[in-house]
Amino acid sequence: MALKLADYKTTVHNDWCPGCGDFGILNAIQMALSEMQTPLHRATIFSGIGCSGKTPHFIHTYGIHTLHGRVLPFAQGAKICNPDLEVLAVGGDGDGLGIGAGHFISSGRRNVDMVYIIFNNAVYGLTKGQAAPTLKLGMKTKSLTQPNMNNSVNPIALALVAGFTFIGRGYSYDVRHLKELIKKAIEHKGLAFLDVLQPCPTYNDINTKEWYQGLDNFNPENGKQMPRTYKLEETGYDGIVRQPYEASTKMGQAIERSNEWGSKIPLGIFYQNEHIPTYQDRIVGRIPNYLEIPPAKQDISDQNNKPTAKLDKLLDDLRADK
Amino acid sequence: MALKLADYKTTVHNDWCPGCGDFGILNAIQMALSEMQTPLHRATIFSGIGCSGKTPHFIHTYGIHTLHGRVLPFAQGAKICNPDLEVLAVGGDGDGLGIGAGHFISSGRRNVDMVYIIFNNAVYGLTKGQAAPTLKLGMKTKSLTQPNMNNSVNPIALALVAGFTFIGRGYSYDVRHLKELIKKAIEHKGLAFLDVLQPCPTYNDINTKEWYQGLDNFNPENGKQMPRTYKLEETGYDGIVRQPYEASTKMGQAIERSNEWGSKIPLGIFYQNEHIPTYQDRIVGRIPNYLEIPPAKQDISDQNNKPTAKLDKLLDDLRADK
Amino acid sequence: MTQSKISNSLTWVIGGAQGSGVDSAANIFSKACSQAGLYIFGKREYYSNIKGEHSYFTVRVSDKQIRSHVDDINLLVSFDAETLFRHGDKVTKGGGIIYDQDLVNTTIQEVPTIDDQALKKITNMLKKANKSLTVQGMLDYAKDNGTILYNVPYFQLLREFSEKINDHSLSKLTRTVNVMALSASMAVLDFDTTVLTRAIKHIFRAKPKIAELNIAAANYSYNYVKSRFNSTEFRFKLTKVQTSSDIILMQGNQSSAMGKISAGCRFQTYYPITPASDDSEFLESNQIIESTPDGKKDSIVVVQTEDEIAAITMAIGGALTGVRSATATSGPGFSLMTEALGWAGINEVPVVVSLYQRAGPSTGLPTRHEQGDLMFAINCGHGEFPKIVFASGDIEESFYDTIKVFNFAEKYQLPVIHMLDKAIANSIMTCRVFDQYKINIDRGRLLENIIPAGDTGVAGNYLRFKFDENPISSRVRLGTENGIFWNTGDEHTEEGHITEDPDNRIKMMNKRMSKLDLASKEIPAEDKAIAYGHNDPSSGMTIVSWGSTKGAILDAIDQLTVEGKNVKFVQVRLMHPFPSSLVEKMLENTKVLVDIEMNYTGQLGLLIKQNLNRNINYKIVKYNGRSMSSSEIYNALMYIISGNAPRRIVLEHGA
Amino acid sequence: MTQSKISNSLTWVIGGAQGSGVDSAANIFSKACSQAGLYIFGKREYYSNIKGEHSYFTVRVSDKQIRSHVDDINLLVSFDAETLFRHGDKVTKGGGIIYDQDLVNTTIQEVPTIDDQALKKITNMLKKANKSLTVQGMLDYAKDNGTILYNVPYFQLLREFSEKINDHSLSKLTRTVNVMALSASMAVLDFDTTVLTRAIKHIFRAKPKIAELNIAAANYSYNYVKSRFNSTEFRFKLTKVQTSSDIILMQGNQSSAMGKISAGCRFQTYYPITPASDDSEFLESNQIIESTPDGKKDSIVVVQTEDEIAAITMAIGGALTGVRSATATSGPGFSLMTEALGWAGINEVPVVVSLYQRAGPSTGLPTRHEQGDLMFAINCGHGEFPKIVFASGDIEESFYDTIKVFNFAEKYQLPVIHMLDKAIANSIMTCRVFDQYKINIDRGRLLENIIPAGDTGVAGNYLRFKFDENPISSRVRLGTENGIFWNTGDEHTEEGHITEDPDNRIKMMNKRMSKLDLASKEIPAEDKAIAYGHNDPSSGMTIVSWGSTKGAILDAIDQLTVEGKNVKFVQVRLMHPFPSSLVEKMLENTKVLVDIEMNYTGQLGLLIKQNLNRNINYKIVKYNGRSMSSSEIYNALMYIISGNAPRRIVLEHGA
Ligand SMILES: Cc1ncc(C[n+]2csc(CCOP(=O)(O)OP(=O)(O)O)c2C)c(N)n1
Ligand SMILES: Cc1ncc(C[n+]2csc(CCOP(=O)(O)OP(=O)(O)O)c2C)c(N)n1
Ligand code: SF4
Ligand code: SF4
Ligand SMILES: [Mg+2]
Ligand SMILES: [Mg+2]
């Protein structure tokens, strides 16, 4: 029996602020899973701490709401032990690029086959609107008493340099497009990253829905109001590395596009490279039968509760008479 | 009286392995300071933990050997409180790009006016040769029982994306060139990063002195043996952003060069941009007299040990009769 | 039936959705009371949520000093349904409820923010009382309790008011509903409107337009209620009394920060976390510091870091330049700081951590109260190093203590963990104006100059960790001429260089750890522990506690005294090194020792056993995330006095 | 003067620069002894340095089981000057020193790795004895002590040997100098060369060529010494005895790792740190696991993470899939893990942390020993959550205990901190071969399947934190059909969703914390504490201790018993929850309680006071970074027995 969208929803009361961009991302995740008919029990959503961190509670799959900044190592641990799980990690920009930036870099180096989605609202939502790492230098949202002191970090470029092998950007109010991105990220073999632009109407009065829609953004040529976001795929941009040798060029163009901001903000797939072995592949290089019997599928004791592991060889080597 | 090179040396026994690349870096730092005639007491060398972390003990300036991975926040704290100090932070690649990667990113966002030098030997020296974040995927140094499982991180590109405003690379056996780089890094207004290629003869038998010298590296054109490293400045490369609008192009070319590795490894200044306000400048935006009386120069109590701060205004506002 | 009036003594509660103005209404009320010369104690309860979940503010008012809340509500002020469902049953006989007439048909199921557990509890209660599961049902329930109901048709009033002031942006006006509810309560209490007006002006002093609008709305609502209801019927009443100019109305999330400014703290790092961020944000908003001599402007640099590890290490870096440096955090952040505290310990760096406790473990109940971090703070960090752990008991103490902890940090050259908590941070009270000159600044052995070798005076070849100055060596700022030293997390020589020599190790450990003995000797008794009251020789009952339970305990034992039962109370303040002999002395003549703590284990109890070899006779603990009321403590103590109490009493009050 | 021969009982020490083959020489010696049927206890001391600093290896040999080292050296084996300067004076009368003739003129100032403090100490000693500050001076000093000197001209031997085997790469041959020194000692001890040969082969089994070269060099040196010196003149002698096939020679940095393989640990994360990394590296080198049924190959995935926060959180992530997961670390890394341990605590996730203690605080003495993390481990993490802290006393225990701690973690669904230390990790000893089937695997309430709703059996609507299974609910792996649950660091409902309800909070706290009561009840006595021996009723002296001091204490009390003095020893193993009543019982009849610990504070002493309300009469502590010898403990106990000892005795032995 086909799973319906409703099957992916819980009855937990959602207490995000009215109009929060998080709702769109939540819907997109649920739609993606439902369109892919991912069995409920096969998926696990991991999250960090923040408004965004509450996401798993609203999704009817396994849901692990972890610690601030640590969602990636938690999620990787589960995926490595059981590669059959569909693992999605989600969290805020403060969570992932502030306190969690170190794990972000190191996860890129591993390329574990899973998806990581950052809810990018440029503020620390749940702690009441402090500047997040994606807020531009000198910006003063209504939640700040003084302009932001720090340069912003570019999540797309950072992911690229870290080694993520699928990098895209979505917008929380373009749920359909975002849903497609999430599906592609899930299908990707390797670590996929999605930077999702997420208005926080409560604290961020700069990067609002209206701002992204471009209500104040006029085409210099024809004077027409135009949305700030545009879709890479609609411009003929192709971020997919089809041959390994293309990687460097494609990275270059992705970086270039990632620097666009202000009146033109690209959405879509910036980069995808399936020629990099996943962490799972690399483990197979050490443990040939890893994918057949990964840690989670090993019987460690027999019916008599005796260990199945045999230490004979190891111990023999140490015997006094050896 | 002019300070001599010897004045910058301590009598502490140096217990690095014979032939360690760290010696060259130490010498270069001491030479740079001495050529710049930095008063001994004005400089503070901060370090992380590792073989490289022992550096400050060999330099006769203030020396703060901190915690593994935390050298940057320690150093920034001191520099922010006393902007008159000459602050150098040094540490290993594991220290700075493994456990410390999060601080690396966030420091880039701040652009505190100081220098950070990574001793890049691609291994965790002091813990006996485990793979460091700069070791390439699949490499097996003599200290490893199995090939490295992780992709390497590109320190130059990472520094660029993080927001460092001066980025260079030196080689520990080219002490003169490295010394010049360090001097330029010190002179730079903003956060300067130097990636220093540092052979670790004890554990890394891949990126050895001989390898950098190119004993096995032959020019495909003339068959002549050629060193792997070359100097950017000798190829006419110019990484300096002279006008703000050049920044993006210069970043692009820096990224491109940073991807060179193998038979051609660039040394020198990849990027320099003094158009980004330093953290000190940004504080002045909030606290106009910060540079004249920074935290370290404020008298907090008078001769009678009474606080100089006056709370009257704050308290008045709270009075019941207000 | 006429009842005697109760003047200037009541508990007033306002509730509503997060973001709907509950706090500002309560602040106006509190300010008005204090302007009227009354004493208040207020506390805020809220969810870890930005908008929509239920929050409420309790303000207890009195004409004498009070320090805690009580369980009962005398006047419940509401403008939503949830507040009624959650608190309607707690209003006392003769108390009142102000509510929105339009909501009476709202069913409990229609309120999405009432979680399953609360739903079950309230439903059961209403069902048992045969009431409908609606606001009306709850109001009926309250009426049965003897509560008086005041319905205010907010929407209608707003509409009328909008016409009156000729402003038809109802959605904007709707934002004054909190103030309307508040002023309705003022009318019921027969409170002075001029004070109300002044209070509104004060709270909105940064936004005069908004102030004006709110004053108009307040008056409109006030007059409506006055005209509709006979306020003399209500038992409780607030009247203006003599105001004193040396009383302030102080919030607990600013008192320690203010202490930092006075203490000369000039560098604070932080990573946002509830309930600690307010401390840093207050400093950030007051970064320019007026100083003597007149016209001198000092400043505090506040840095928002990437995480708590950076916060503590950056603060230590700052401290090395001789700046009084601090960071403020809560449990999760503190957990991340312990490695660096060890570094500060071994390098003898003074640094202050303001630890605003909240309910743990892990994320726990991030906006709720607990005192669960005591044993962790004392034992934090691998290895052994000296640290001072100090706990303040209330808002007033937290100001003075903040100056003291900086003195301790510098005198003994070690990290100090200053324990505060959510109950202090999210409460507000009237107290005597802070005397910022009461406590001197003592920087310990901080040298501003080193006389170079050859000259007389301080050792030419400066040794940062000189043994013969045992145990406290002179400290210099980074950048001092002739003062070069080294620091390392490794065991070190007198210069600060790494050494693994076993004998040096012993000497350095002795040097560092013996600073605690010195601190134990030198720290004045009143900073170690304070004994309040005395006990009846017959019962010999003494309470021991620490931190923010102080106010509720004092209020409870006052009540007992009134009834002729005397209980002594020992408030421990210096938690580590533990003031064993002083506390021992204070416990002389104690037959029944009662430990009162906001945690599961009874952590101070463990310390007393560890340090005094003395058993706790009764534990009164609470760990439901809600601070203790004096009523609860009073009841529990009465229970113990009755002789029938179990050895461990778990308090459960609070919504 | 003829002295009686001492056969098969001696302390042998070899020293040299880090990286010069000290360890392999000691390993060969140890292996040879064990192959000869003898028992050994060996320990390694080294600097936090890669090459050049002084390291040494002590091997005590006996024909009976031994468990510790003693202070005296009977045979000192050296091939550099520093070893002589540092240890020459510790060789007993009648003991011997093997040294390089070419070094006699080396002055102490010429050895750069002798740090200032050591330099001062040695210089003073030699000066006082009127000896020159050279190797010769030290040798003279030793000679005065009655030590016999064996000079071996290594360089000359190497040259001759090189000619003999016709291999002129002297620099390569120089690397056999360690084995030459070792075999010289074998000659002096009159030890069997065939055993020596076999041992060399075994140690170099991966590199047969090198083995061969070393055997040749060994024989050359052996024969030289035999021909030059009359070995019958030396008092100490080693001879082959009956070997037993059930004795193994085990290194302490592999025993717990081996236990992990047997326990079914299939996921280990780590960040490199001394002395914990060896544990992970052993697993990494043995990642493919032979299993039953025959031919089945299981495996353990070992991940080197970016830091310790990632290590613990990744391990927890793995544990959520039902895999027995662990991480191994030392103090600085452990400090970073405490926040995540609280998360595991509140979410009831079984995970094991192998905490290899080293001397703290901060970086401390990273390659030296201490037991300084006990109180930190017990109280780690903000807030209150259940955890088990378990301490192993020696290499053998550490194997079995590792299996037990995984059982505890899964039965009680909580994090377990398994305390080990540098003394265990860097020691080697002969012990009975491990019986890997002695301890069953107990996975607790881990369900592999959930029967869906409507069917009979386990609740249809699976609740991860079901109350009525109090206190331990059934656990499923992520990915189990019908088993969907949630986890959160916030306080949660039975499903695992966030809730701030105060009553639920109390129930969940009770559920979690009461698991400790259950553990206290169920964990067998022998896993809580073990009492050894008995005390003389007259003296009533009992020692209490924990962890790796065990061996030295047992050896010391054996010695006391020989002298007719009986002392009881209580080794506490379950450190938390503390086995109060069992220890209380074990301490019955104790008049003098002596706490022995490798730390400054006497941390177990604190626990005893906290849990037993009982004072410690004497503390014997040590915190110079070097493990306790049985001689030191023996002496300290004798001191106490004498009645003149202070209440706190600080041991100071060790180089
Ligand atoms: C270690 C730690 N430090 C601080 C916090 C407090 N905290 C909770 S949410 C949050 C930031 C949330 O911002 P972000 O990650 O951007 O998520 P958002 O709320 O914007 O979705 C912080 C700092 C915490 N929970 N843990
Ligand atoms: C928190 C913490 N974890 C682990 C260690 C152990 N440790 C000491 S040095 C080191 C790595 C050193 O590698 P790197 O930073 O590359 O410096 P190098 O020795 O190569 O110069 C580690 C992991 C530590 N000191 N602290
Ligand atoms: S604070 Fe911002 S991010 Fe958080 S729920 Fe509200 S709108 Fe969304
Ligand atoms: S281990 Fe490597 S990095 Fe460390 S001192 Fe030796 S050669 Fe240098
Ligand atoms: Mg955010
Ligand atoms: Mg390195």
Side-chain angles (χ1 to χ4, degrees), chain B residues 22 49-52 91-95 118-126 130-134 198 200:
Chain B
D22 289 354
I49 298 277
C51 297
S52 44
D93 39 14
D95 194 82
I118 283 189
F119 293 32
N120 182 347
N121 58 8
V123 290
Y124 280 52
L126 196 54
Q130 296 89 353
T134 46
Q198 174 242 319
C200 162

Side-chain angles (χ1 to χ4, degrees), chain A residues 14-23 50-52 54 119 121 123-129 173 198-204, chain C residues 49-51:
Chain A
N14 189 324
D15 66 2
W16 286 328
C17 307
C20 175
D22 288 354
F23 288 104
C51 296
S52 46
K54 296 180 180 174
F119 294 32
N121 58 7
V123 290
Y124 281 51
L126 196 54
T127 46
K128 303 203 288 191
Y173 286 102
Q198 175 243 316
C200 163
T202 302
Y203 294 122
N204 185 338
Chain C
N49 155 266
I50 300 304
K51 280 190 179 170

Side-chain angles (χ1 to χ4, degrees), chain D residues 488-514:
Chain D
T488 167
D490 289 67
E491 191 54 272
H492 51 241
T493 62
E494 289 175 282
E495 286 129 316
H497 287 307
I498 302 171
T499 177
E500 303 192 16
D501 184 75
D503 299 340
N504 175 85
R505 164 69 174 183
I506 297 175
K507 284 168 79 176
M508 277 295 170
M509 280 293 281
N510 291 349
K511 172 189 195 306
R512 285 192 297 267
M513 297 302 281
S514 66

